Amino acid sequence: MSRAIAIVGASANRSKFGNKAVRAYLAEGWTVYPVNRSGGDIEDLEAVPRLSDLKAQLDRISVYLPPPITLELLPEIAATGAREVWFNPGSADERVLRAAEDLGLPVHPACSIVDIGRHPSEFH
């Protein structure tokens, strides 16, 4: 059974971690939902502008946004009911992590690509 992930801050730019994550999760057989405010096509997947646009049950959310934007999105992230929320390096500061924990989010402040047994350097 495929696991589902939303990559928040997904990018069409293949040098950005928000793109490398899309490719890493696809390579590991996950169902990937790119989330990018501009929408568009990312690695042959249609990106949605907001998490609330997704109707899928998510196992994981992986965030690649600056802390001020991440902080604004926490209520929307919480509303998804995702089993795990990964704040990749640079996406969360102490304020974000504290607010996420206050919302009861299952917080993981670490690289979600490494967690699935891959390394960002594999994806050029």
Side-chain angles (χ1 to χ4, degrees):
M1 182 154 138
S2 180
R3 294 174 288 176
I5 182 168
I7 308 288
V8 180
S11 174
N13 181 336
R14 291 174 66 87
S15 68
K16 294 195 172 214
F17 288 96
N19 179 281
K20 293 177 184 211
V22 170
R23 290 185 283 145
Y25 278 90
L26 286 171
E28 290 298 312
W30 288 62
T31 300
V32 177
Y33 298 99
V35 180
N36 180 295
R37 287 185 178 180
S38 300
D41 185 65
I42 298 174
E43 298 300 319
D44 295 325
L45 300 170
E46 184 179 343
V48 296
R50 302 183 56 85
L51 267 171
S52 58
D53 295 328
L54 296 175
K55 302 304 176 215
Q57 174 64 42
L58 298 170
D59 296 292
R60 181 178 283 193
I61 294 172
S62 187
V63 181
Y64 291 93
L65 296 169
I69 297 171
T70 301
L71 187 61
E72 289 176 24
L73 292 178
L74 288 179
E76 190 172 344
I77 290 169
T80 68
R83 291 187 188 98
E84 300 176 338
V85 180
W86 287 73
F87 295 107
N88 292 278
S91 68
D93 55 18
E94 286 183 36
R95 210 169 115 202
V96 169
L97 294 175
R98 190 171 35 256
E101 289 171 354
D102 288 347
L103 286 169
L105 292 173
V107 173
H108 298 273
C111 179
S112 69
I113 297 171
V114 171
D115 180 66
I116 60 170
R118 303 304 289 257
H119 194 276
S121 65
E122 295 176 54
F123 303 95
H124 306 283

